[in-house]
Amino acid sequence: MKLPNFREHAGLNRLHRAMDAKYEPRKRPSIKWDNWKPMPKPRGDKVVPLPDIVFKPDGTLRHEGEHVLIYIRDIDTFGSNPKFHIAHCSTLRKMIKNDRGNRYVVSNRTDGIFQVNVRNGWGGGVKTDHRKLQVCKNCLAKLRYKGYNQHGQDWNKIYRNFRLDEFFEMYQETPTTWRPRHNNETAPLNAYTPNWSEISYKLRSDVGWRCQQCGYNCQNQKDNLHVHHIDGNKANNDPSNLKVLCRWCHRKQPGHGHMARNP
């Protein structure tokens, strides 16, 4: 369809004259390609090889005299983005106590953009992505960062405006007691191994299809009997890391709250 020439429209011209308006030629925006710059890509994490993380008396995490942070790199599609940790907070202490600390990797980047591996269910593949992650609120509370208090007036403002570069500048000192096993490059993929179906079936069969925690018999409901990875690493099939649980006991394990939400 061809549009009419509105400059020759009698009604519009009468309005222009009544308003004493003038036609202004349309200016096209000029692009100076010499000054054009592409959007910056996320900077890669600095590799920190298998560090000993030092828990300083102030609660911060150090390696070789520098502050570092840790985060969980492997997540599921149904899971939320992980928080990164800057202190020996209650969440971190609980994970270490439950022998789930080897899920963390080490980083000292300051832009807040981190590499994550997103698993699409059991055997559904893995996608590597870069996402902006938020700081753990329990870490802020542990450090009383800028007076952070979850019951205080400005707690949400402090959380939203948290900057890693500013944090690293505030804490200057030298540096463990707990060793994360991997950094973001050396950590094995937290996904089920190709032979997981066979391993799972054999373990459940060996215990007579009974839950090793509550004793419930799932002989006639085999789908309700699972094999739990104690340390949270689905690739670690060492017998000491596996426990046969009914779905009701399984969902009570650390990090399995999604099973209660999605029965």
Side-chain angles (χ1 to χ4, degrees):
M1 182 180 74
K2 184 177 180 180
L3 294 174
N5 187 343
F6 291 105
R7 292 193 179 190
E8 298 176 357
H9 193 283
L12 289 176
N13 284 328
R14 283 197 300 271
L15 289 174
H16 270 282
R17 288 193 295 271
M19 298 168 61
D20 195 25
K22 296 181 180 179
Y23 282 109
E24 293 290 342
R26 181 183 178 186
K27 296 181 179 180
R28 295 180 178 271
S30 59
I31 300 176
K32 297 181 179 180
W33 293 100
D34 293 341
N35 298 328
W36 179 83
K37 294 181 180 180
M39 289 291 290
K41 296 181 179 179
R43 184 170 59 87
D45 288 357
K46 177 181 177 182
V47 177
V48 183
L50 298 178
D52 282 337
I53 296 299
V54 177
F55 297 146
K56 293 296 291 181
D58 62 5
T60 55
L61 314 176
R62 313 278 180 104
H63 171 249
E64 294 182 351
E66 295 183 358
H67 282 88
V68 294
L69 60 91
I70 61 177
Y71 72 103
I72 292 178
R73 186 198 60 180
D74 297 333
I75 60 177
D76 294 302
T77 52
F78 55 75
S80 57
N81 284 342
K83 300 289 193 299
F84 61 81
H85 294 273
I86 57 174
H88 189 201
C89 68
S90 57
T91 301
L92 197 54
R93 289 197 301 270
K94 182 178 179 181
M95 291 290 283
I96 297 172
K97 179 181 178 182
N98 292 329
D99 197 25
R100 299 173 70 84
N102 64 340
R103 299 182 64 195
Y104 289 97
V105 297
V106 185
S107 176
N108 63 355
R109 64 185 303 155
T110 60
D111 57 4
I113 307 296
F114 297 91
Q115 175 187 322
V116 295
N117 293 330
V118 185
R119 299 187 303 264
N120 186 20
W122 184 359
V126 178
K127 176 184 177 183
T128 298
D129 195 7
H130 286 84
R131 296 184 180 182
K132 182 173 180 60
L133 304 183
Q134 299 295 328
V135 66
C136 167
K137 293 180 180 179
N138 289 334
C139 286
L140 297 180
K142 168 69 177 179
L143 300 176
R144 292 283 180 177
Y145 184 75
K146 293 186 177 182
Y148 180 88
N149 184 333
Q150 291 189 358
H151 303 290
Q153 184 175 1
D154 296 328
W155 70 271
N156 200 31
K157 181 179 179 182
I158 296 172
Y159 170 72
R160 291 197 319 268
N161 295 335
F162 177 84
R163 287 171 38 199
L164 277 168
D165 55 349
E166 185 178 33
F167 165 75
F168 285 134
E169 288 178 4
M170 287 179 62
Y171 288 82
Q172 301 287 344
E173 202 186 316
T174 312
T176 283
T177 58
W178 168 65
R179 174 196 294 265
R181 300 178 188 174
H182 307 287
N183 60 50
N184 70 300
E185 293 191 359
T186 63
L189 184 64
N190 186 1
Y192 292 105
T193 56
N195 62 339
W196 174 242
S197 295
E198 292 80 4
I199 293 174
S200 173
Y201 187 91
K202 185 178 187 306
L203 285 173
R204 290 178 292 162
S205 176
D206 287 347
V207 298
W209 300 94
R210 288 184 178 274
C211 175
Q212 290 183 302
Q213 186 151 315
C214 71
Y216 185 76
N217 189 342
C218 295
Q219 179 69 44
N220 298 324
Q221 301 173 318
K222 294 181 179 179
D223 288 344
N224 286 330
L225 194 64
H226 303 170
V227 178
H228 170 57
H229 289 86
I230 297 172
D231 68 354
N233 183 4
K234 296 177 176 61
N236 181 6
N237 294 332
D238 188 277
S240 64
N241 189 48
L242 302 176
K243 189 174 183 180
V244 178
L245 299 175
C246 66
R247 73 162 63 241
W248 300 278
C249 289
H250 196 186
R251 70 182 186 181
K252 296 177 183 177
Q253 302 305 307
H256 287 67
H258 62 277
M259 294 182 64
R261 297 191 298 270
N262 301 287

